[in-house]
Amino acid sequence: MGMSSSLKTKRMIMFWAKLFIVLLQTWIYGWLWFHYYKDMMPVEYWNRGNWVIIALYGLFIIVFSRAFGALKVGYLKTWDIMYSQVLTIFCVNGVTYLQLSLINGDWKFLENSEPMFGLCLVDFVLVLLWALFMRWIYAFIYPPHEMLLIYGDISPNAIIRKLESRKDKYHVKEKVALSAGADTIYERILQYDAVLIGDIMAEDRNRFIKFCFEKNIRCYTIPKISDIMIRNSESIDLFDSPLLLFRNNGLTYRQMFVKRTMDIVISLAGIVLASPVMLLIAICIKLYDGGPVFYKQKRQTKDGREFDILKFRSMIVDSERHGARLAKEHDDRITPVGRVIRRLHFDELPQLFNILAGDMAFVGPRPERTEITEQYTKKIPEFPLRLKVKAGLTGYAQVYGQYNTVPYDKLKLDLTYITNYSVWLDIKLIILTVKILSQKEKSEGVDDAQKTALKE
C-alpha cells in the first residue's frame, strides 16, 4: 500500500508552511535590498543580479535553518524551534551584512546598520508567531501516537520516562513483555498504529519489525551497537547478492588532514576571540578563594593515549580527595564562580590550547578519565570503540545527549559520529554547539547517589 491521501495532505501542509516562512523572510529582505541597499552599491546591478542577491539570502536561510533545526516543527519543542529560529536570523543577517559590506567595498558601510537591525526585529516577530501557530497546526493534524511497548528482561521504565517528556508526540498506552509469547504480541500489535520495540534480542526484534513492515504499522526500535555500524556501512553491488562494507579504521588520511587543519584554524581564532572572557574568568576564580585558576586532569584520547586536559577550576581545591567522580546534580564542591562558568560551558575554554597542541580535536567524543573508562568497560565491553578518533571539545553526544546520559547511550552517539564522519557533520555540530550552550540539561550533573554516569 502507498502513502494514504490523509498523510500526503498533512505532509503537504507542513511543507508549504515551512516554504512560506522562508519565502516571507526572503521577500522582506528583497524589499530592503530594492529600497535601501541596492542604491548604496558601487555598481548598478542588472535585473538578474538583483534576484541572485535575494536568492542567496533565501539559500542562507535554508542552510542555517537546516543546521539549527529551525524548521523541525513537531520534532523539536516549541521553545527549541523559537530559539533555533532566532539563532538562524542572527547568523543569516550577520553573514548577509558582511556580504553587503564586501560588495560595497567600504568598511564604513558597516555603520549603516539600522535597516539590518530593523530586518532582524521584523524577522523575530514573524518567526515567533509562525512557530506558535505551526505548533498548534502540528498538534491538530498530528495527535500523539498511541503506542504499544514491547520489552524484555530490561525494565521499560527508563524509556517510558523519556517518552513522557514528549507527550505531544508519544503516548505509551500499553506495554507487553516478551514472555507473553509471539502470538499474543502479534495480536496486540494489530491494535495500534505505532509500536516501540525495546532492548530485546535481535532475533525477536527482527521478527516484530518484519511483521510491522508487512502490516504497514509504524515501528520504533532502540538500536544496538551493531545497528549503528550497519546503518552507516557502504553498500557493495558487484554481485546479485548485496554486500555491506565496514571499513572499521576510523578516519581516512584526507579526512584527518582536513580535520586537523580546521582544528588549528578554529582553535587559534577561538583563543584570540575568547581571551578577554578567559582573562575575566581567571580573575574571578583567583579572587574567590586564591586557589589555582586552572585544573589539570589525565584524560584519554585516540587509541587510549593519556594527556593533561586543561580546564578552568570550577570546584574547591582538592575536590577529589575521596576519589574520582563526576559532578553531581547538587554538588557542594562547585564554587559560585564554577556554577556560572559550568552552566555556560566556559570552564572548557582552556581546552582550545589542548586542541592547538593536537591532543584533542574540536569535534569528537568527550575524553574520559582512565579509571572511569575502566569502570564503564567492565559493564560495556564495547566502550573503548569510541577511542578510534581524537577526543573533542564538543561532539555528537554533547549536542544530542546530556551530561548525565548513561554511558551505553553516549557510546551509541559517539559511534554514530565516528561511522558517519564528514566535514559537514563537524561544521553542523560546531554550529549546534552554540545552540546548546544555554540549555541547562546539557550541564546537569549525575544523581547525587552516583559517582559515574552508570545507573545501578
Side-chain angles (χ1 to χ4, degrees):
M1 294 177 63
M3 188 186 304
S4 68
S5 58
S6 174
L7 184 56
K8 286 181 180 179
T9 301
K10 293 176 181 179
R11 291 186 176 180
M12 184 179 67
I13 291 172
M14 298 304 297
F15 170 78
W16 284 108
K18 295 173 184 178
L19 183 61
F20 169 77
I21 192 62
V22 172
L23 292 177
L24 181 59
Q25 289 176 270
T26 305
W27 179 84
I28 295 172
Y29 172 73
W31 184 92
L32 186 65
W33 167 261
F34 278 113
H35 288 80
Y36 190 82
Y37 287 120
K38 176 176 175 289
D39 296 332
M40 299 181 65
M41 297 298 112
V43 295
E44 184 177 352
Y45 280 74
W46 293 96
N47 189 45
R48 290 182 180 177
N50 292 316
W51 292 113
V52 168
I53 291 292
I54 296 169
L56 192 59
Y57 183 85
L59 179 62
F60 287 156
I61 292 176
I62 293 172
V63 169
F64 282 100
S65 292
R66 285 181 62 85
F68 287 123
L71 299 176
K72 289 188 174 181
V73 177
Y75 181 81
L76 298 179
K77 296 179 181 179
T78 305
W79 166 247
D80 286 332
I81 291 291
M82 291 180 174
Y83 185 44
S84 299
Q85 285 282 2
V86 168
L87 286 176
T88 297
I89 291 170
F90 269 123
C91 292
V92 170
N93 289 345
V95 170
T96 299
Y97 198 44
L98 178 61
Q99 173 203 22
L100 294 178
S101 301
L102 293 172
I103 294 174
N104 182 269
D106 186 353
W107 288 108
K108 290 183 179 180
F109 177 84
L110 291 173
E111 298 173 2
N112 300 292
S113 57
E114 292 84 358
M116 192 58 70
F117 276 117
L119 177 63
C120 287
L121 291 175
V122 172
D123 283 342
F124 290 155
V125 173
L126 286 175
V127 298
L128 295 181
L129 290 175
W130 177 84
L132 290 172
F133 178 71
M134 288 310 302
R135 186 66 199 90
W136 178 79
I137 290 292
Y138 186 90
F140 179 76
I141 64 177
Y142 287 107
H145 292 293
E146 292 194 341
M147 307 171 67
L148 173 70
L149 170 60
I150 304 170
Y151 68 97
D153 297 330
I154 299 175
S155 171
N157 294 333
I159 187 64
I160 289 176
R161 282 195 299 270
K162 292 179 181 180
L163 292 171
E164 285 178 345
S165 68
R166 292 301 307 270
K167 291 183 178 179
D168 58 318
K169 287 186 66 67
Y170 309 110
H171 171 52
V172 177
K173 190 173 182 180
E174 181 183 354
K175 55 185 180 180
V176 58
L178 186 63
S179 58
D183 292 338
T184 299
I185 294 175
Y186 288 146
E187 290 179 6
R188 301 312 306 152
I189 288 176
L190 293 173
Q191 306 304 311
Y192 293 89
D193 61 356
V195 174
L196 171 60
I197 303 174
D199 197 348
I200 63 177
M201 294 294 291
E203 182 180 356
D204 296 313
R205 182 198 61 177
N206 294 344
R207 185 190 317 157
F208 296 132
I209 289 175
K210 292 174 184 177
F211 183 79
C212 290
F213 183 83
E214 177 188 351
K215 302 299 181 181
N216 298 317
I217 296 172
R218 180 185 293 257
C219 183
Y220 301 84
T221 185
I222 299 173
K224 300 181 181 296
I225 297 296
S226 56
D227 295 327
I228 302 295
M229 301 171 183
I230 292 172
R231 186 170 62 183
N232 297 294
S233 60
E234 181 181 342
S235 179
I236 303 292
D237 298 311
L238 296 177
F239 320 102
D240 56 358
S241 296
L243 295 178
L244 295 177
L245 171 62
F246 309 86
R247 297 191 185 277
N248 303 325
N249 55 359
L251 309 186
T252 65
Y253 178 80
R254 180 182 61 83
Q255 289 173 329
M256 288 189 292
F257 176 80
V258 173
K259 188 174 177 66
R260 179 59 185 151
T261 302
M262 285 177 57
D263 287 339
I264 293 173
V265 172
I266 294 174
S267 60
L268 281 172
I271 289 169
V272 172
L273 293 173
S275 56
V277 176
M278 289 196 285
L279 179 60
L280 178 61
I281 293 173
I283 293 172
C284 291
I285 294 173
K286 199 67 178 178
L287 289 177
Y288 175 72
D289 60 7
V293 170
F294 297 108
Y295 174 69
K296 290 184 178 181
Q297 193 178 67
K298 293 289 184 182
R299 296 286 182 98
Q300 287 185 316
T301 186
K302 188 175 185 293
D303 299 326
R305 182 176 67 83
E306 287 191 334
F307 71 102
D308 289 319
I309 196 171
L310 194 63
K311 302 177 71 172
F312 280 123
R313 183 173 59 85
S314 61
M315 294 187 176
I316 60 175
V317 179
D318 198 21
S319 60
E320 293 193 335
R321 57 183 177 275
H322 299 301
R325 68 181 188 187
L326 296 180
K328 299 183 294 184
E329 187 173 357
H330 304 99
D331 202 321
D332 56 6
R333 299 175 300 162
I334 302 175
T335 66
V337 176
R339 291 197 182 279
V340 175
I341 62 175
R342 288 175 70 92
R343 175 69 184 274
L344 297 173
H345 299 271
F346 284 178
D347 58 322
E348 313 284 359
L349 285 175
Q351 288 163 45
L352 291 169
F353 294 100
N354 287 121
I355 296 171
L356 188 60
D359 293 322
M360 293 175 61
F362 203 92
V363 180
R366 282 298 291 163
E368 294 283 3
R369 281 168 282 188
T370 301
E371 55 269 36
I372 289 182
T373 296
E374 290 172 352
Q375 291 182 48
Y376 291 166
T377 304
K378 289 177 181 178
K379 290 198 173 183
I380 311 169
E382 304 93 342
F383 196 76
L385 293 178
R386 62 199 296 276
L387 299 176
K388 281 181 173 285
V389 297
K390 281 184 185 179
L393 176 61
T394 186
Y396 204 92
Q398 282 61 53
V399 169
Y400 295 106
Q402 300 173 10
Y403 181 84
N404 55 8
T405 297
V406 295
Y408 189 60
D409 287 339
K410 275 191 177 180
L411 173 61
K412 290 179 184 178
L413 292 170
D414 287 332
L415 289 179
T416 298
Y417 170 75
I418 293 170
T419 58
N420 199 39
Y421 172 78
S422 68
V423 173
W424 165 243
L425 180 58
D426 266 9
I427 295 172
K428 178 182 178 181
L429 292 174
I430 291 170
I431 293 173
L432 285 175
T433 298
V434 177
K435 178 181 173 181
I436 68 169
L437 287 179
S438 63
Q439 295 180 358
K440 183 180 178 181
E441 62 270 19
K442 299 297 183 179
S443 57
E444 286 181 340
V446 297
D447 292 341
D448 293 342
Q450 295 176 249
K451 286 189 175 181
T452 68
L454 283 171
K455 299 286 186 180
E456 297 298 333

